[in-house]
Amino acid sequence: MLNSMVRKMKCPQTGKRLKPDPSDIFLEVEDSDIKYPIYESIINFRAELKEADFKIPEQGQGSLIKWEELMVKESESLAGKINLPQTFRAVALDIPSGSDLFVKKSFQKYKEASILVADTDPSMLLRAKQRYEDLGLKNAIFICCDLNRLPLLEGVIGMVVSMLGFSRIPSQEMAMTEIKRVLRVSGTFIGAFYLQNNPGQQFLSQWGAKAEAFKTIEEIEGFMSDKFDFIDQELVKNKFVFEARKSWPSCGVKW
């Protein structure tokens, strides 16, 4: 599965294609000396991170557990509001994945799909990977990368899912542009975004993590309206829940 996914990737620095090393310990960049290591089955595209960063530190366990407890409560408020398609056989991108508490409900049914799990935080990805393993799911690839510069070719993703983690991305506008780039025309974008003064933002700030939630629904629509067409949207307390499609380029067709 790694080989087939790598064909959909590119080097975020050079834009050149990637290829797996026979040892499966890193990815090579065509016509370049650049290599991206694979630590704990997670492809590391962040040069500043080393192998030691792909271990959950003991002192970080408590914060992660508290974060997950909060996300469980928050996800319960979205019960019945997130409607992913019943069948899906292409490539889905989970961005940012966090520790992926939604995997059981969201992706467990997609046995024939490929799931690309992306986040900037190795500890989150390690927890997410453990969840996939506990469920016996083997159709996921985990990548640690800059979410404003995805290591993916244009139009290779069939569905993007983003659940309550978008405020952790430093530049939401750049990330939105990247999501549009990698999503194929007719591709689906389903998510739940926090608005300001929410429990998740408050917790992340206390944890020392940057969290910039959207101020209003109008701000979200401003980021997305030139890139996506909304199929459905709803405000659930302080969470904006939506389903959208990538806009048809230059033809004015609306979904």
Side-chain angles (χ1 to χ4, degrees):
M1 181 182 162
L2 177 61
N3 288 349
S4 62
M5 186 66 77
V6 166
R7 290 196 290 269
K8 302 178 188 299
M9 293 182 176
K10 68 173 185 177
C11 171
Q13 300 178 56
T14 66
K16 293 183 177 181
R17 295 292 189 102
L18 304 177
K19 56 183 180 180
D21 173 74
S23 66
D24 286 336
I25 59 173
F26 55 82
L27 299 183
E28 298 178 311
V29 180
E30 291 183 349
D31 304 318
S32 172
D33 294 329
I34 298 173
K35 295 181 180 181
Y36 294 104
I38 301 174
Y39 301 131
E40 302 292 335
S41 301
I42 299 170
I43 305 170
N44 178 31
F45 288 97
R46 296 183 60 195
E48 70 274 21
L49 298 181
K50 306 304 178 186
E51 186 171 7
D53 296 306
F54 287 78
K55 310 287 184 185
I56 299 178
E58 289 299 323
Q59 63 269 29
Q61 287 279 11
S63 295
L64 266 176
I65 292 170
K66 288 180 181 178
W67 169 254
E68 291 180 347
E69 289 173 349
L70 172 62
M71 288 297 99
V72 167
K73 292 180 181 178
E74 292 293 273
S75 64
E76 288 173 353
S77 69
L78 297 177
K81 304 295 183 180
I82 307 297
N83 298 309
L84 270 65
Q86 288 301 309
T87 60
F88 183 76
R89 296 182 176 87
V91 182
L93 171 64
D94 186 359
I95 176 175
S97 65
S99 58
D100 222 334
L101 286 164
F102 294 92
V103 63
K104 187 174 182 179
K105 294 180 180 179
S106 301
F107 298 130
Q108 192 175 15
K109 59 188 175 182
Y110 298 144
K111 306 295 184 183
E112 299 178 44
S114 298
I115 312 299
L116 192 60
V117 184
D119 205 292
T120 57
D121 189 332
S123 63
M124 292 283 194
L125 286 165
L126 287 166
R127 299 278 286 192
K129 185 172 72 75
Q130 185 61 57
R131 285 200 162 81
Y132 277 84
E133 291 173 354
D134 290 345
L135 291 167
L137 302 178
K138 300 179 180 180
N139 58 340
I141 297 293
F142 301 86
I143 61 172
C144 186
C145 64
D146 179 351
L147 302 181
N148 296 326
R149 190 169 58 171
L150 296 172
L152 296 168
L153 297 173
E154 184 174 342
V156 296
I157 301 298
M159 178 171 63
V160 174
V161 178
S162 183
M163 295 296 170
L164 301 180
F166 211 77
S167 60
R168 291 197 290 114
I169 301 177
S171 173
Q172 286 94 341
E173 186 170 12
M174 289 176 63
M176 204 76 77
T177 299
E178 276 292 89
I179 287 172
K180 178 188 176 183
R181 181 183 66 80
V182 302
L183 189 64
R184 70 188 182 195
V185 173
S186 81
T188 302
F189 185 12
I190 296 175
F193 292 167
Y194 270 130
L195 296 179
Q196 271 193 332
N197 300 318
N198 61 77
Q201 181 187 21
Q202 293 162 10
F203 179 88
L204 288 170
S205 298
Q206 292 169 4
W207 196 4
K210 183 178 176 64
E212 296 292 339
F214 293 105
K215 296 179 177 65
T216 63
I217 293 175
E218 289 74 22
E219 183 182 7
I220 298 174
E221 292 174 337
F223 274 119
M224 297 182 66
S225 60
D226 64 332
K227 303 174 181 67
F228 305 96
D229 298 323
F230 286 106
I231 305 301
D232 194 16
Q233 61 188 88
E234 181 179 357
L235 183 63
V236 182
K237 293 185 178 180
N238 56 354
K239 295 174 279 292
F240 178 73
V241 181
F242 66 90
E243 178 181 353
R245 298 280 193 278
K246 180 175 175 177
S247 302
W248 286 86
S250 306
C251 63
V253 174
K254 290 289 184 180
W255 289 95

